[in-house]
Amino acid sequence: MKFTKLIDDIHHIQQETDGIYIYGAGFYGKDVCRVLRNNDIDVQGFLVTRKADNAEEVLGLPVYEADDLLQKNIGIVIGLSDTYIGQVRDYLEKQGFAMNHVVNGGRYITDTGGREDLRQSKVLEVSTVMGCAVNCHYCPQDVMLKKYYEHDKHRQRVMTLENFQTILDHTPANCIIDFSGMTEPFLNPHCLDMIRMACDAGRKVYLFTTLFEVPAETVDELIQLPVYYMTLHVADIKGYAYIPTTETYYRNVDVVTKAKKPDGRPFVDFLNAQTDPDPRVAEIVKGRYEVMRSVQNRAGNLKDNTAQHRKSPIAPGTKMECCFCGDDLSNSVVLPDGTLVLCNMDYGMQHVLGNLYEEDYDTIRSKGELPRVLKELDGGMDENLLCRNCLLARIKE
């Protein structure tokens, strides 16, 4: 994950311009800036559409309003999420900016993060347990646990192998099985067996993991499996993710980041952290991976304004679409007791679709809550729709 195409594209516009600027000074912009610095590309500063009074400097670089520099011979690397990239490109075109001097840096981050494939496919995220010991700073576990156990303190906490077989039986053969959801998958002692079952069933398998206290022998078995895509969330210098940095942990990070898939691609596709990575992790992956740092407030479920968030909800009556789940919102999450919720932002379980142990995937999606949510996205008036606060929601023109 070295962003070779991104760097090549920027080198090209460097030759034709007098300086490189990053459009966007938030989490994506900062990630893009770090990637460029790691590849010895000089960045002159950040551009924003309108500068806040106190936004004079980011990562030691000046922040400019775009209007002040667009008439100059500059190159622009867009450092924004999918939510805003289209708007910025339209703005630049209307200003008559030379679009051959624009590189969409945000796309490299989102596509490398696996989003493009997920957007175009049916996906089931599997939360193998309820409650996550990693307890990330930027994860609303308290919201999830309160809602899950609200009416039943003995509600099923751990998914069984039998449960998982039912999930395979109740989902279409072309549905991606994504071990992630709202918790660390390997907190379930049967997680490796579930991954193997999904692979043996011919499913395309995704895995998002921290390798929290995973035994070395489990990692050695994992890298032998045909996992299609893997994101590794690593320990950070502030301990925002509680990942014990034992010798086994460092060994496991080294093993998975050096491993290869059967087709020769790296076994790990994407690395991220909640702030700068643990120094020893950074040294292990140096020269092979960039560690991304974008975090968000999970559609308002995380009450922390230091995470990327919408300044205000999208107003009722506005037509919207999801830039992550696609037009049919086909990226749901199954919880340990079979409950199917709308997506991986729904920590408060606002939109429960059904129960996957009791009914199959297509039946659940054909009735009840999902059709209602889809109708709301088409200009509905429900003020409590989760999507109104989600960064991945895009206003339709």
Side-chain angles (χ1 to χ4, degrees):
M1 191 183 67
K2 285 298 294 173
F3 299 96
T4 303
K5 182 65 166 57
L6 171 63
I7 302 306
D8 288 346
D9 288 348
I10 296 172
H11 281 154
H12 176 74
I13 64 174
Q14 270 187 312
Q15 297 171 10
E16 300 177 350
T17 61
D18 298 327
I20 299 294
Y21 293 79
I22 297 172
Y23 202 119
F27 286 96
Y28 271 67
K30 291 174 185 176
D31 270 350
V32 169
C33 185
R34 294 183 184 102
V35 170
L36 302 195
R37 284 177 166 176
N38 288 346
N39 287 274
D40 300 319
I41 291 177
D42 188 28
V43 177
Q44 303 301 311
F46 290 90
L47 302 180
V48 294
T49 305
R50 290 184 181 84
K51 187 168 67 171
D53 292 338
N54 60 348
E56 297 296 331
E57 189 176 277
V58 171
L59 297 182
L61 295 172
V63 179
Y64 303 95
E65 287 199 357
D67 283 349
D68 295 337
L69 294 181
L70 292 185
Q71 303 308 313
K72 297 185 178 182
N73 182 33
I74 64 172
I76 293 177
V77 182
I78 300 178
L80 296 165
S81 71
D82 286 358
T83 310
Y84 304 108
I85 284 172
Q87 297 173 24
V88 169
R89 289 187 64 88
D90 290 344
Y91 165 72
L92 293 175
E93 289 177 351
K94 289 177 181 177
Q95 298 301 312
F97 190 79
M99 298 306 290
N100 61 319
H101 290 165
V102 177
V103 175
N104 183 352
R107 184 195 70 189
Y108 288 90
I109 294 175
T110 56
D111 287 0
T112 307
R115 183 168 298 171
E116 188 64 32
D117 194 43
L118 296 178
R119 185 188 297 125
Q120 299 172 354
S121 308
K122 293 180 178 179
V123 183
L124 181 70
E125 295 191 25
V126 181
S127 286
T128 64
V129 298
M130 182 53 58
C132 186
V134 182
N135 198 27
C136 291
H137 178 78
Y138 290 105
C139 180
Q141 283 293 305
D142 56 338
V143 174
M144 180 91 253
L145 291 171
K146 181 179 179 180
K147 187 64 178 179
Y148 190 77
Y149 291 111
E150 184 177 24
H151 300 297
D152 181 2
K153 293 182 179 180
H154 302 289
R155 195 168 178 175
Q156 182 175 343
R157 192 184 79 83
V158 181
M159 185 178 290
T160 68
L161 290 177
E162 291 77 14
N163 293 154
F164 186 70
Q165 183 60 57
T166 300
I167 288 172
L168 292 178
D169 293 341
H170 283 187
T171 50
N174 64 347
C175 181
I176 293 172
I177 300 297
D178 181 347
F179 291 90
S180 56
M182 278 75 165
T183 57
E184 162 55 53
F186 281 103
L187 290 174
N188 187 313
H190 302 299
C191 180
L192 183 66
D193 293 325
M194 293 178 184
I195 295 173
R196 185 178 289 109
M197 287 168 65
C199 290
D200 288 347
R203 299 301 185 91
K204 183 180 283 188
V205 172
Y206 277 55
L207 171 64
F208 292 70
T209 179
T210 62
L211 296 181
F212 175 90
E213 296 188 340
V214 176
E217 55 269 25
T218 298
V219 169
D220 291 343
E221 291 184 55
L222 172 67
I223 61 175
Q224 302 303 315
L225 297 176
V227 173
Y228 179 81
Y229 177 93
M230 176 177 167
T231 282
L232 178 63
H233 183 108
V234 298
D236 60 86
I237 59 174
K238 292 187 177 181
Y240 282 171
Y242 175 66
I243 305 172
T245 49
T246 62
E247 287 302 314
T248 298
Y249 170 73
Y250 289 125
R251 178 263 183 200
N252 287 343
V253 171
D254 186 53
V255 167
V256 296
T257 56
K258 287 180 178 176
K260 301 290 184 181
K261 294 184 173 75
D263 62 3
R265 291 183 297 127
F267 191 81
V268 175
D269 296 271
F270 194 78
L271 260 68
N272 61 10
Q274 297 197 7
T275 182
D276 290 341
D278 171 271
R280 189 164 167 188
V281 169
E283 186 61 31
I284 289 171
V285 304
K286 185 178 181 180
R288 293 182 290 121
Y289 287 90
E290 306 287 353
V291 182
M292 300 294 101
R293 298 161 179 80
S294 298
V295 292
Q296 58 166 296
N297 74 342
R298 296 289 182 176
N301 281 305
L302 180 69
K303 307 304 180 185
D304 187 330
N305 286 333
T306 63
Q308 195 174 14
H309 61 281
R310 281 194 178 277
K311 293 182 180 179
S312 58
I314 297 174
T318 306
K319 291 188 177 184
M320 298 178 287
E321 61 186 346
C322 180
C323 67
F324 184 82
C325 297
D327 292 338
D328 58 353
L329 301 185
S330 57
N331 196 330
S332 303
V333 180
V334 62
L335 304 180
D337 70 342
T339 299
L340 193 67
V341 296
L342 182 65
C343 68
N344 60 19
M345 300 296 163
D346 199 1
Y347 279 76
M349 299 175 65
Q350 287 178 235
H351 304 296
V352 174
L353 308 185
N355 190 293
L356 201 53
Y357 298 164
E358 299 170 2
E359 296 182 294
D360 67 65
Y361 178 90
D362 289 328
T363 298
I364 292 172
R365 289 175 53 83
S366 69
K367 61 183 182 178
E369 183 66 0
L370 182 61
R372 188 190 76 81
V373 170
L374 291 171
K375 186 176 180 180
E376 286 296 326
L377 290 179
D378 194 33
M381 301 302 292
D382 182 0
E383 294 183 354
N384 296 318
L385 186 71
L386 180 69
C387 310
R388 299 197 187 284
N389 288 295
C390 185
L391 279 171
L392 300 177
R394 178 185 293 150
I395 297 173
K396 281 189 174 181
E397 298 297 331

